[in-house]
PDB file of all heavy atoms in Angstrom:
ATOM      1  N   PRO A   1       4.748   8.732 -15.171  1.00 97.00           N
ATOM      2  CA  PRO A   1       5.941   9.188 -15.849  1.00 97.00           C
ATOM      3  C   PRO A   1       7.110   8.177 -15.636  1.00 97.00           C
ATOM      4  O   PRO A   1       7.022   7.235 -14.966  1.00 97.00           O
ATOM      5  CB  PRO A   1       6.262  10.499 -15.170  1.00 97.00           C
ATOM      6  CG  PRO A   1       5.647  10.344 -13.856  1.00 97.00           C
ATOM      7  CD  PRO A   1       4.421   9.536 -13.934  1.00 97.00           C
ATOM      8  N   GLU A   2       8.260   8.498 -16.436  1.00 97.00           N
ATOM      9  CA  GLU A   2       9.300   7.512 -16.396  1.00 97.00           C
ATOM     10  C   GLU A   2      10.124   7.464 -15.126  1.00 97.00           C
ATOM     11  O   GLU A   2      10.931   6.554 -14.908  1.00 97.00           O
ATOM     12  CB  GLU A   2      10.256   7.847 -17.543  1.00 97.00           C
ATOM     13  CG  GLU A   2       9.648   7.552 -19.019  1.00 97.00           C
ATOM     14  CD  GLU A   2      10.598   7.827 -20.084  1.00 97.00           C
ATOM     15  OE1 GLU A   2      11.838   8.023 -19.890  1.00 97.00           O
ATOM     16  OE2 GLU A   2      10.235   7.798 -21.322  1.00 97.00           O
ATOM     17  N   GLU A   3       9.942   8.499 -14.268  1.00 98.00           N
ATOM     18  CA  GLU A   3      10.498   8.398 -12.980  1.00 98.00           C
ATOM     19  C   GLU A   3       9.705   9.219 -11.933  1.00 98.00           C
ATOM     20  O   GLU A   3       8.906  10.001 -12.348  1.00 98.00           O
ATOM     21  CB  GLU A   3      11.928   9.051 -12.950  1.00 98.00           C
ATOM     22  CG  GLU A   3      12.053  10.596 -13.361  1.00 98.00           C
ATOM     23  CD  GLU A   3      13.419  11.132 -13.356  1.00 98.00           C
ATOM     24  OE1 GLU A   3      14.385  10.251 -13.610  1.00 98.00           O
ATOM     25  OE2 GLU A   3      13.619  12.292 -13.164  1.00 98.00           O
ATOM     26  N   GLY A   4       9.877   9.024 -10.695  1.00 98.00           N
ATOM     27  CA  GLY A   4       8.943   9.600  -9.694  1.00 98.00           C
ATOM     28  C   GLY A   4       9.023   8.885  -8.374  1.00 98.00           C
ATOM     29  O   GLY A   4       9.846   7.991  -8.152  1.00 98.00           O
ATOM     30  N   GLU A   5       8.128   9.279  -7.524  1.00 98.00           N
ATOM     31  CA  GLU A   5       8.045   8.648  -6.157  1.00 98.00           C
ATOM     32  C   GLU A   5       6.633   8.214  -5.978  1.00 98.00           C
ATOM     33  O   GLU A   5       5.648   8.960  -6.301  1.00 98.00           O
ATOM     34  CB  GLU A   5       8.345   9.664  -5.039  1.00 98.00           C
ATOM     35  CG  GLU A   5       8.291   9.006  -3.582  1.00 98.00           C
ATOM     36  CD  GLU A   5       8.878   9.945  -2.551  1.00 98.00           C
ATOM     37  OE1 GLU A   5       9.912  10.702  -2.808  1.00 98.00           O
ATOM     38  OE2 GLU A   5       8.382   9.955  -1.478  1.00 98.00           O
ATOM     39  N   LEU A   6       6.459   6.966  -5.521  1.00 98.00           N
ATOM     40  CA  LEU A   6       5.197   6.410  -5.189  1.00 98.00           C
ATOM     41  C   LEU A   6       4.807   6.446  -3.682  1.00 98.00           C
ATOM     42  O   LEU A   6       5.760   6.045  -2.911  1.00 98.00           O
ATOM     43  CB  LEU A   6       5.103   4.960  -5.739  1.00 98.00           C
ATOM     44  CG  LEU A   6       5.329   4.734  -7.243  1.00 98.00           C
ATOM     45  CD1 LEU A   6       5.199   3.337  -7.576  1.00 98.00           C
ATOM     46  CD2 LEU A   6       4.326   5.668  -8.157  1.00 98.00           C
ATOM     47  N   ARG A   7       3.692   6.757  -3.430  1.00 98.00           N
ATOM     48  CA  ARG A   7       3.270   6.727  -1.960  1.00 98.00           C
ATOM     49  C   ARG A   7       1.832   6.133  -1.920  1.00 98.00           C
ATOM     50  O   ARG A   7       0.860   6.556  -2.434  1.00 98.00           O
ATOM     51  CB  ARG A   7       3.161   8.146  -1.415  1.00 98.00           C
ATOM     52  CG  ARG A   7       2.815   8.232   0.098  1.00 98.00           C
ATOM     53  CD  ARG A   7       2.639   9.646   0.448  1.00 98.00           C
ATOM     54  NE  ARG A   7       2.439   9.820   1.957  1.00 98.00           N
ATOM     55  CZ  ARG A   7       1.742  10.829   2.502  1.00 98.00           C
ATOM     56  NH1 ARG A   7       1.298  11.767   1.900  1.00 98.00           N
ATOM     57  NH2 ARG A   7       1.731  10.823   3.892  1.00 98.00           N
ATOM     58  N   HIS A   8       1.730   4.946  -1.269  1.00 98.00           N
ATOM     59  CA  HIS A   8       0.528   4.301  -1.073  1.00 98.00           C
ATOM     60  C   HIS A   8       0.405   3.816   0.378  1.00 98.00           C
ATOM     61  O   HIS A   8       1.345   4.008   1.142  1.00 98.00           O
ATOM     62  CB  HIS A   8       0.410   3.038  -2.058  1.00 98.00           C
ATOM     63  CG  HIS A   8       0.386   3.307  -3.495  1.00 98.00           C
ATOM     64  ND1 HIS A   8       1.558   3.138  -4.309  1.00 98.00           N
ATOM     65  CD2 HIS A   8      -0.528   3.832  -4.302  1.00 98.00           C
ATOM     66  CE1 HIS A   8       1.230   3.497  -5.504  1.00 98.00           C
ATOM     67  NE2 HIS A   8       0.053   3.923  -5.528  1.00 98.00           N
ATOM     68  N   TRP A   9      -0.744   3.082   0.701  1.00 98.00           N
ATOM     69  CA  TRP A   9      -0.840   2.437   1.903  1.00 98.00           C
ATOM     70  C   TRP A   9      -1.171   1.003   1.675  1.00 98.00           C
ATOM     71  O   TRP A   9      -2.018   0.604   0.888  1.00 98.00           O
ATOM     72  CB  TRP A   9      -1.954   3.078   2.658  1.00 98.00           C
ATOM     73  CG  TRP A   9      -1.580   4.474   3.361  1.00 98.00           C
ATOM     74  CD1 TRP A   9      -1.139   4.643   4.558  1.00 98.00           C
ATOM     75  CD2 TRP A   9      -1.410   5.671   2.650  1.00 98.00           C
ATOM     76  NE1 TRP A   9      -0.857   5.975   4.891  1.00 98.00           N
ATOM     77  CE2 TRP A   9      -0.970   6.559   3.578  1.00 98.00           C
ATOM     78  CE3 TRP A   9      -1.683   6.129   1.366  1.00 98.00           C
ATOM     79  CZ2 TRP A   9      -0.752   7.979   3.317  1.00 98.00           C
ATOM     80  CZ3 TRP A   9      -1.445   7.459   1.017  1.00 98.00           C
ATOM     81  CH2 TRP A   9      -0.931   8.329   2.023  1.00 98.00           C
ATOM     82  N   LEU A  10      -0.412   0.100   2.373  1.00 98.00           N
ATOM     83  CA  LEU A  10      -0.475  -1.330   2.103  1.00 98.00           C
ATOM     84  C   LEU A  10      -1.059  -2.072   3.304  1.00 98.00           C
ATOM     85  O   LEU A  10      -0.710  -1.803   4.463  1.00 98.00           O
ATOM     86  CB  LEU A  10       0.868  -1.814   1.836  1.00 98.00           C
ATOM     87  CG  LEU A  10       1.314  -1.915   0.336  1.00 98.00           C
ATOM     88  CD1 LEU A  10       1.263  -0.476  -0.327  1.00 98.00           C
ATOM     89  CD2 LEU A  10       2.721  -2.510   0.204  1.00 98.00           C
ATOM     90  N   ARG A  11      -1.885  -3.012   3.040  1.00 97.00           N
ATOM     91  CA  ARG A  11      -2.463  -3.858   4.168  1.00 97.00           C
ATOM     92  C   ARG A  11      -2.118  -5.293   3.732  1.00 97.00           C
ATOM     93  O   ARG A  11      -2.612  -5.716   2.599  1.00 97.00           O
ATOM     94  CB  ARG A  11      -3.998  -3.688   4.229  1.00 97.00           C
ATOM     95  CG  ARG A  11      -4.579  -4.678   5.371  1.00 97.00           C
ATOM     96  CD  ARG A  11      -6.080  -4.427   5.367  1.00 97.00           C
ATOM     97  NE  ARG A  11      -6.440  -3.328   5.950  1.00 97.00           N
ATOM     98  CZ  ARG A  11      -7.659  -2.698   5.905  1.00 97.00           C
ATOM     99  NH1 ARG A  11      -8.589  -3.203   5.038  1.00 97.00           N
ATOM    100  NH2 ARG A  11      -7.874  -1.603   6.489  1.00 97.00           N
ATOM    101  N   ARG A  12      -1.577  -6.070   4.554  1.00 95.00           N
ATOM    102  CA  ARG A  12      -1.158  -7.430   4.311  1.00 95.00           C
ATOM    103  C   ARG A  12      -2.299  -8.378   4.647  1.00 95.00           C
ATOM    104  O   ARG A  12      -2.921  -8.301   5.596  1.00 95.00           O
ATOM    105  CB  ARG A  12       0.131  -7.807   5.087  1.00 95.00           C
ATOM    106  CG  ARG A  12       0.555  -9.292   4.854  1.00 95.00           C
ATOM    107  CD  ARG A  12       1.804  -9.527   5.662  1.00 95.00           C
ATOM    108  NE  ARG A  12       2.310 -10.886   5.375  1.00 95.00           N
ATOM    109  CZ  ARG A  12       3.468 -11.336   5.928  1.00 95.00           C
ATOM    110  NH1 ARG A  12       4.177 -10.608   6.580  1.00 95.00           N
ATOM    111  NH2 ARG A  12       3.812 -12.600   5.601  1.00 95.00           N
ATOM    112  N   ASP A  13      -2.550  -9.227   3.681  1.00 93.00           N
ATOM    113  CA  ASP A  13      -3.620 -10.287   3.865  1.00 93.00           C
ATOM    114  C   ASP A  13      -2.813 -11.616   4.100  1.00 93.00           C
ATOM    115  O   ASP A  13      -2.373 -12.164   3.147  1.00 93.00           O
ATOM    116  CB  ASP A  13      -4.464 -10.360   2.526  1.00 93.00           C
ATOM    117  CG  ASP A  13      -5.630 -11.332   2.677  1.00 93.00           C
ATOM    118  OD1 ASP A  13      -5.527 -12.320   3.553  1.00 93.00           O
ATOM    119  OD2 ASP A  13      -6.583 -11.359   1.909  1.00 93.00           O
ATOM    120  N   GLY A  14      -2.872 -12.056   5.286  1.00 88.00           N
ATOM    121  CA  GLY A  14      -2.126 -13.250   5.558  1.00 88.00           C
ATOM    122  C   GLY A  14      -2.624 -14.546   4.954  1.00 88.00           C
ATOM    123  O   GLY A  14      -1.887 -15.394   4.607  1.00 88.00           O
ATOM    124  N   LYS A  15      -3.925 -14.602   4.692  1.00 89.00           N
ATOM    125  CA  LYS A  15      -4.524 -15.804   4.094  1.00 89.00           C
ATOM    126  C   LYS A  15      -4.052 -16.004   2.650  1.00 89.00           C
ATOM    127  O   LYS A  15      -3.669 -17.055   2.179  1.00 89.00           O
ATOM    128  CB  LYS A  15      -6.063 -15.828   4.215  1.00 89.00           C
ATOM    129  CG  LYS A  15      -6.562 -15.865   5.507  1.00 89.00           C
ATOM    130  CD  LYS A  15      -8.178 -15.900   5.578  1.00 89.00           C
ATOM    131  CE  LYS A  15      -8.676 -16.015   6.877  1.00 89.00           C
ATOM    132  NZ  LYS A  15     -10.181 -16.008   6.944  1.00 89.00           N
ATOM    133  N   SER A  16      -4.001 -14.953   1.938  1.00 91.00           N
ATOM    134  CA  SER A  16      -3.593 -14.933   0.475  1.00 91.00           C
ATOM    135  C   SER A  16      -2.119 -14.655   0.303  1.00 91.00           C
ATOM    136  O   SER A  16      -1.518 -14.772  -0.729  1.00 91.00           O
ATOM    137  CB  SER A  16      -4.452 -13.957  -0.266  1.00 91.00           C
ATOM    138  OG  SER A  16      -4.210 -12.651   0.017  1.00 91.00           O
ATOM    139  N   ASN A  17      -1.387 -14.245   1.403  1.00 92.00           N
ATOM    140  CA  ASN A  17      -0.093 -13.813   1.304  1.00 92.00           C
ATOM    141  C   ASN A  17       0.079 -12.766   0.237  1.00 92.00           C
ATOM    142  O   ASN A  17       1.002 -12.874  -0.651  1.00 92.00           O
ATOM    143  CB  ASN A  17       0.975 -15.019   1.081  1.00 92.00           C
ATOM    144  CG  ASN A  17       2.369 -14.528   1.189  1.00 92.00           C
ATOM    145  OD1 ASN A  17       2.700 -13.688   2.073  1.00 92.00           O
ATOM    146  ND2 ASN A  17       3.244 -15.170   0.425  1.00 92.00           N
ATOM    147  N   ARG A  18      -0.734 -11.726   0.306  1.00 95.00           N
ATOM    148  CA  ARG A  18      -0.737 -10.719  -0.643  1.00 95.00           C
ATOM    149  C   ARG A  18      -0.992  -9.363  -0.014  1.00 95.00           C
ATOM    150  O   ARG A  18      -1.582  -9.269   1.098  1.00 95.00           O
ATOM    151  CB  ARG A  18      -1.856 -11.006  -1.674  1.00 95.00           C
ATOM    152  CG  ARG A  18      -1.842 -10.077  -2.952  1.00 95.00           C
ATOM    153  CD  ARG A  18      -3.088 -10.448  -3.900  1.00 95.00           C
ATOM    154  NE  ARG A  18      -3.012  -9.805  -5.139  1.00 95.00           N
ATOM    155  CZ  ARG A  18      -3.373  -8.618  -5.339  1.00 95.00           C
ATOM    156  NH1 ARG A  18      -3.935  -7.884  -4.348  1.00 95.00           N
ATOM    157  NH2 ARG A  18      -3.364  -8.048  -6.493  1.00 95.00           N
ATOM    158  N   SER A  19      -0.493  -8.282  -0.521  1.00 97.00           N
ATOM    159  CA  SER A  19      -0.713  -6.976   0.067  1.00 97.00           C
ATOM    160  C   SER A  19      -1.652  -6.128  -0.844  1.00 97.00           C
ATOM    161  O   SER A  19      -1.510  -6.176  -2.088  1.00 97.00           O
ATOM    162  CB  SER A  19       0.661  -6.097   0.122  1.00 97.00           C
ATOM    163  OG  SER A  19       1.486  -6.571   1.233  1.00 97.00           O
ATOM    164  N   HIS A  20      -2.610  -5.582  -0.192  1.00 97.00           N
ATOM    165  CA  HIS A  20      -3.597  -4.767  -0.887  1.00 97.00           C
ATOM    166  C   HIS A  20      -3.260  -3.291  -0.777  1.00 97.00           C
ATOM    167  O   HIS A  20      -2.735  -2.746   0.225  1.00 97.00           O
ATOM    168  CB  HIS A  20      -5.007  -4.873  -0.264  1.00 97.00           C
ATOM    169  CG  HIS A  20      -5.569  -6.271  -0.297  1.00 97.00           C
ATOM    170  ND1 HIS A  20      -6.085  -6.860  -1.590  1.00 97.00           N
ATOM    171  CD2 HIS A  20      -5.609  -7.294   0.558  1.00 97.00           C
ATOM    172  CE1 HIS A  20      -6.430  -8.063  -1.351  1.00 97.00           C
ATOM    173  NE2 HIS A  20      -6.208  -8.439  -0.051  1.00 97.00           N
ATOM    174  N   VAL A  21      -3.330  -2.541  -1.936  1.00 97.00           N
ATOM    175  CA  VAL A  21      -2.817  -1.192  -2.053  1.00 97.00           C
ATOM    176  C   VAL A  21      -3.952  -0.208  -2.031  1.00 97.00           C
ATOM    177  O   VAL A  21      -4.970  -0.394  -2.820  1.00 97.00           O
ATOM    178  CB  VAL A  21      -1.968  -1.133  -3.372  1.00 97.00           C
ATOM    179  CG1 VAL A  21      -1.276   0.295  -3.372  1.00 97.00           C
ATOM    180  CG2 VAL A  21      -0.963  -2.285  -3.422  1.00 97.00           C
ATOM    181  N   TYR A  22      -3.839   0.864  -1.285  1.00 97.00           N
ATOM    182  CA  TYR A  22      -4.793   1.909  -1.324  1.00 97.00           C
ATOM    183  C   TYR A  22      -4.023   3.285  -1.655  1.00 97.00           C
ATOM    184  O   TYR A  22      -2.961   3.510  -1.186  1.00 97.00           O
ATOM    185  CB  TYR A  22      -5.400   2.044   0.064  1.00 97.00           C
ATOM    186  CG  TYR A  22      -6.020   0.700   0.466  1.00 97.00           C
ATOM    187  CD1 TYR A  22      -5.386  -0.143   1.319  1.00 97.00           C
ATOM    188  CD2 TYR A  22      -7.306   0.217  -0.001  1.00 97.00           C
ATOM    189  CE1 TYR A  22      -5.863  -1.395   1.649  1.00 97.00           C
ATOM    190  CE2 TYR A  22      -7.842  -0.889   0.402  1.00 97.00           C
ATOM    191  CZ  TYR A  22      -7.153  -1.730   1.227  1.00 97.00           C
ATOM    192  OH  TYR A  22      -7.706  -2.998   1.615  1.00 97.00           O
ATOM    193  N   ALA A  23      -4.804   4.206  -2.170  1.00 96.00           N
ATOM    194  CA  ALA A  23      -4.251   5.514  -2.531  1.00 96.00           C
ATOM    195  C   ALA A  23      -4.288   6.373  -1.431  1.00 96.00           C
ATOM    196  O   ALA A  23      -3.543   7.454  -1.505  1.00 96.00           O
ATOM    197  CB  ALA A  23      -5.004   6.040  -3.768  1.00 96.00           C
ATOM    198  N   SER A  24      -4.992   6.030  -0.335  1.00 96.00           N
ATOM    199  CA  SER A  24      -5.080   6.981   0.736  1.00 96.00           C
ATOM    200  C   SER A  24      -5.119   6.155   2.009  1.00 96.00           C
ATOM    201  O   SER A  24      -5.373   4.947   1.946  1.00 96.00           O
ATOM    202  CB  SER A  24      -6.345   7.934   0.674  1.00 96.00           C
ATOM    203  OG  SER A  24      -7.491   7.155   0.578  1.00 96.00           O
ATOM    204  N   PRO A  25      -4.957   6.697   3.163  1.00 96.00           N
ATOM    205  CA  PRO A  25      -4.892   5.963   4.453  1.00 96.00           C
ATOM    206  C   PRO A  25      -6.217   5.200   4.611  1.00 96.00           C
ATOM    207  O   PRO A  25      -7.324   5.770   4.289  1.00 96.00           O
ATOM    208  CB  PRO A  25      -4.657   7.081   5.574  1.00 96.00           C
ATOM    209  CG  PRO A  25      -4.055   8.094   4.791  1.00 96.00           C
ATOM    210  CD  PRO A  25      -4.548   8.161   3.458  1.00 96.00           C
ATOM    211  N   LYS A  26      -6.017   4.042   5.085  1.00 93.00           N
ATOM    212  CA  LYS A  26      -7.295   3.226   5.303  1.00 93.00           C
ATOM    213  C   LYS A  26      -7.091   2.202   6.446  1.00 93.00           C
ATOM    214  O   LYS A  26      -6.116   1.332   6.339  1.00 93.00           O
ATOM    215  CB  LYS A  26      -7.656   2.413   3.994  1.00 93.00           C
ATOM    216  CG  LYS A  26      -8.935   1.572   4.140  1.00 93.00           C
ATOM    217  CD  LYS A  26      -9.358   1.097   2.865  1.00 93.00           C
ATOM    218  CE  LYS A  26     -10.725   0.334   2.910  1.00 93.00           C
ATOM    219  NZ  LYS A  26     -11.182  -0.150   1.616  1.00 93.00           N
ATOM    220  N   GLY A  27      -7.706   2.283   7.523  1.00 94.00           N
ATOM    221  CA  GLY A  27      -7.615   1.376   8.652  1.00 94.00           C
ATOM    222  C   GLY A  27      -6.187   1.223   9.102  1.00 94.00           C
ATOM    223  O   GLY A  27      -5.539   2.162   9.433  1.00 94.00           O
ATOM    224  N   ASP A  28      -5.855  -0.041   9.190  1.00 95.00           N
ATOM    225  CA  ASP A  28      -4.504  -0.288   9.682  1.00 95.00           C
ATOM    226  C   ASP A  28      -3.450  -0.456   8.543  1.00 95.00           C
ATOM    227  O   ASP A  28      -2.342  -0.968   8.829  1.00 95.00           O
ATOM    228  CB  ASP A  28      -4.446  -1.628  10.513  1.00 95.00           C
ATOM    229  CG  ASP A  28      -4.948  -2.808   9.735  1.00 95.00           C
ATOM    230  OD1 ASP A  28      -5.425  -2.663   8.568  1.00 95.00           O
ATOM    231  OD2 ASP A  28      -4.903  -3.909  10.290  1.00 95.00           O
ATOM    232  N   ALA A  29      -3.739  -0.056   7.381  1.00 97.00           N
ATOM    233  CA  ALA A  29      -2.813  -0.089   6.230  1.00 97.00           C
ATOM    234  C   ALA A  29      -1.593   0.793   6.602  1.00 97.00           C
ATOM    235  O   ALA A  29      -1.686   1.903   7.153  1.00 97.00           O
ATOM    236  CB  ALA A  29      -3.465   0.394   4.904  1.00 97.00           C
ATOM    237  N   LYS A  30      -0.389   0.338   6.179  1.00 97.00           N
ATOM    238  CA  LYS A  30       0.862   1.119   6.486  1.00 97.00           C
ATOM    239  C   LYS A  30       1.284   1.927   5.289  1.00 97.00           C
ATOM    240  O   LYS A  30       1.218   1.390   4.162  1.00 97.00           O
ATOM    241  CB  LYS A  30       1.900   0.023   6.986  1.00 97.00           C
ATOM    242  CG  LYS A  30       1.489  -0.610   8.274  1.00 97.00           C
ATOM    243  CD  LYS A  30       2.581  -1.590   8.690  1.00 97.00           C
ATOM    244  CE  LYS A  30       2.264  -2.223  10.011  1.00 97.00           C
ATOM    245  NZ  LYS A  30       3.318  -3.303  10.378  1.00 97.00           N
ATOM    246  N   GLU A  31       1.824   3.051   5.553  1.00 98.00           N
ATOM    247  CA  GLU A  31       2.318   3.888   4.450  1.00 98.00           C
ATOM    248  C   GLU A  31       3.538   3.180   3.752  1.00 98.00           C
ATOM    249  O   GLU A  31       4.406   2.615   4.420  1.00 98.00           O
ATOM    250  CB  GLU A  31       2.922   5.227   4.941  1.00 98.00           C
ATOM    251  CG  GLU A  31       3.278   6.071   3.853  1.00 98.00           C
ATOM    252  CD  GLU A  31       3.868   7.445   4.393  1.00 98.00           C
ATOM    253  OE1 GLU A  31       4.496   7.477   5.521  1.00 98.00           O
ATOM    254  OE2 GLU A  31       3.639   8.529   3.747  1.00 98.00           O
ATOM    255  N   ALA A  32       3.609   3.227   2.415  1.00 97.00           N
ATOM    256  CA  ALA A  32       4.712   2.617   1.650  1.00 97.00           C
ATOM    257  C   ALA A  32       5.127   3.626   0.593  1.00 97.00           C
ATOM    258  O   ALA A  32       4.302   4.144  -0.126  1.00 97.00           O
ATOM    259  CB  ALA A  32       4.143   1.389   1.000  1.00 97.00           C
ATOM    260  N   ARG A  33       6.389   3.840   0.635  1.00 98.00           N
ATOM    261  CA  ARG A  33       7.090   4.873  -0.341  1.00 98.00           C
ATOM    262  C   ARG A  33       8.352   4.248  -0.922  1.00 98.00           C
ATOM    263  O   ARG A  33       9.054   3.560  -0.424  1.00 98.00           O
ATOM    264  CB  ARG A  33       7.507   6.200   0.334  1.00 98.00           C
ATOM    265  CG  ARG A  33       6.214   6.892   0.970  1.00 98.00           C
ATOM    266  CD  ARG A  33       6.716   8.290   1.757  1.00 98.00           C
ATOM    267  NE  ARG A  33       7.641   7.992   2.740  1.00 98.00           N
ATOM    268  CZ  ARG A  33       8.894   8.473   2.786  1.00 98.00           C
ATOM    269  NH1 ARG A  33       9.396   9.102   1.717  1.00 98.00           N
ATOM    270  NH2 ARG A  33       9.648   8.198   3.837  1.00 98.00           N
TER     271      ARG A  33
END
């Protein structure tokens, strides 16, 4: 929708300098809102 709140879990990949996004908790991924 055109507005809302996003809640994901992010895990940083230091080698690629990129964050991977998950829809639910996974390992050491941190909540992102």
